[in-house]
Amino acid sequence: MTFEEMKAQLIEQILQQQLITATISQPRMKSNDIKRIKLKPLMLKNTYHIQMEYQYERILKHENILLADFPARLEAFFENYRQAHIDFIDEKVHVQLSKKNKVLWKSDKAAAPKQVSLTHNRKKNYLLSDNQPYPFLIRLGVQTTEGKVKKQKYDKFKQINRFIEFIDDALAYLPQDRQVRILDFGSGKSYLTFALYHYLKIEKGLDIRVTGLDLKKEVIEECSQIAQDLGYDQLEFLVGDINDYNDESAVDMVVTLHACDVATDMALARAVKWGASVILSVPCCQHELNRQLHTPALDIMLQHGLVRERFAALATDAIRAEILSLVGYEAQLLEFIDMENTPKNILIRAYHTGKKPTTQQCANYEAFLKLLNATPFLANELKDYLE
Ligand SMILES: C[S@@+](CC[C@H](N)C(=O)[O-])C[C@H]1O[C@@H](n2cnc3c(N)ncnc32)[C@H](O)[C@@H]1O
């Protein structure tokens, strides 16, 4: 099969709406910012579209295009990438291109997936089902005793489900040969802490030990009681300040969900000091950088309180991700959940790799802090690591 025949064949199958999913990868140039592109079909306003998910080093971007516009895009993909895995309705295809576009085409009809879902808002298959009773969700007041999620708790239910999806994705980065130690900082009413325990320990049978830590004594006492009543013997709740929590020598995964302001930074710093393999953190309100910002070059933006607040929050999260990558993590900022559910919708995901930063990366970081004229809390907490 020639290069042109290969493209014509793929275009024909895609125009016939045979696509289920595809992944285009192996950039021809190292300098290519987009490392991978995922495709799937999508119905938007009753019209067939292809959704493209572009995976950059640290972020994902999405674009939906009309089917008629797809052939031109596919041409462009193969100018920049050399590999594609495509699941069609009746066959799986793997394409590998040489530098000179010699085509290796492999097709497997027996392994083909059979169904495709095109709706954007299709009923979500949550990892925790929304109509099955879970004892911990009933005790926490999220579900009725029949297993129905209460209307006023639906947003929280969606958040914990989404968070568990990220935890599920991170399992490969956790140790497989010993007990996994997990800390939830600023656990509050501990919906997430219970949910992750249930999912990892009860459903997946993993060997884990989980601690939820929070300042609020009464809430922690209540959570401890629930854990005890449910027989969750590897789940404990402690009253305490993240900053004073020095009881561990090593932790494998640190999670936070809406830990207020710099509590998120304290948790990230603790995680780095323990060398945690996985950090998943959805920050909350942000005041600390906002108070410090003094950047005349950005005054046109920062003179507006609302813009200043959002800028400070976004800059803080970008700096958090950058610091994590400077100290040996592969860090990404990902969309946690839709804005209608909560505006606090960025998740910091960091996997420990030990990779050293480039000189350019360090210089960019220094320059950004200089521009903001600020010293972020996390930079102070981790100054020994950043030097
Ligand atoms: C908005 S609540 C979120 C609770 C929970 N993670 C959730 O998503 O439902 C933030 C929690 O962080 C706790 N917190 C704030 N600063 C803390 C600190 N320095 N140490 C421990 N907990 C802290 C608060 O007490 C509060 O319960």
Side-chain angles (χ1 to χ4, degrees), residues 156 159 184-191 213-216 240-243 256-260 263 266 284:
K156 203 69 198 173
Q159 286 173 28
D184 180 359
F185 278 136
S187 53
K189 275 204 82 175
S190 303
Y191 305 104
L213 184 92
D214 203 284
L215 295 169
K216 295 177 187 155
D241 190 318
I242 302 166
N243 223 16
T256 74
L257 177 56
H258 300 151
C260 326
M266 293 177 194
C284 192

Side-chain angles (χ1 to χ4, degrees), residues 146-180:
E146 292 79 40
K148 280 268 157 273
V149 176
K150 294 180 188 168
K151 208 163 160 231
Q152 68 277 27
K153 293 289 184 192
Y154 215 88
D155 281 349
K156 203 69 198 173
F157 177 76
K158 269 173 84 173
Q159 286 173 28
I160 55 176
N161 253 303
R162 182 79 178 118
F163 209 115
I164 288 176
E165 282 178 19
F166 283 105
I167 291 177
D168 201 47
D169 288 345
L171 289 181
Y173 293 83
L174 293 170
Q176 319 285 320
D177 52 351
R178 59 167 172 83
Q179 189 174 64
V180 176

Side-chain angles (χ1 to χ4, degrees), residues 19 58 95 169-170 174 179 181 228 255 286 295-296 322 346:
L19 178 70
R58 298 215 194 95
V95 175
D169 288 345
L174 293 170
Q179 189 174 64
R181 183 79 182 103
Q228 196 184 329
V255 300
Q286 208 295 314
T295 313
E322 195 56 33
I346 287 183

Side-chain angles (χ1 to χ4, degrees), residues 82-138:
R82 295 207 288 125
Q83 193 177 66
H85 289 278
I86 306 126
D87 283 356
F88 289 118
I89 289 172
D90 58 1
E91 83 179 302
K92 266 178 178 292
V93 172
H94 172 77
V95 175
Q96 182 69 52
L97 299 173
S98 73
K99 285 190 180 145
K100 293 188 174 161
N101 287 338
K102 250 181 91 189
V103 179
L104 180 73
W105 171 286
K106 277 194 204 157
S107 158
D108 185 351
K109 295 212 170 183
K114 295 285 180 239
Q115 43 169 323
V116 54
S117 169
L118 297 180
T119 41
H120 211 8
N121 296 319
R122 68 182 186 275
K123 193 161 173 6
K124 179 99 174 104
N125 274 332
Y126 292 122
L127 288 175
L128 297 173
S129 160
D130 56 358
N131 56 19
Q132 173 188 331
Y134 295 100
F136 73 94
L137 285 181
I138 296 170

Side-chain angles (χ1 to χ4, degrees), residues 273-290:
K273 288 174 188 172
W274 287 322
S277 310
V278 176
I279 304 172
L280 296 170
S281 172
V282 177
C284 192
C285 48
Q286 208 295 314
H287 306 298
E288 201 253 347
L289 191 72
N290 195 343

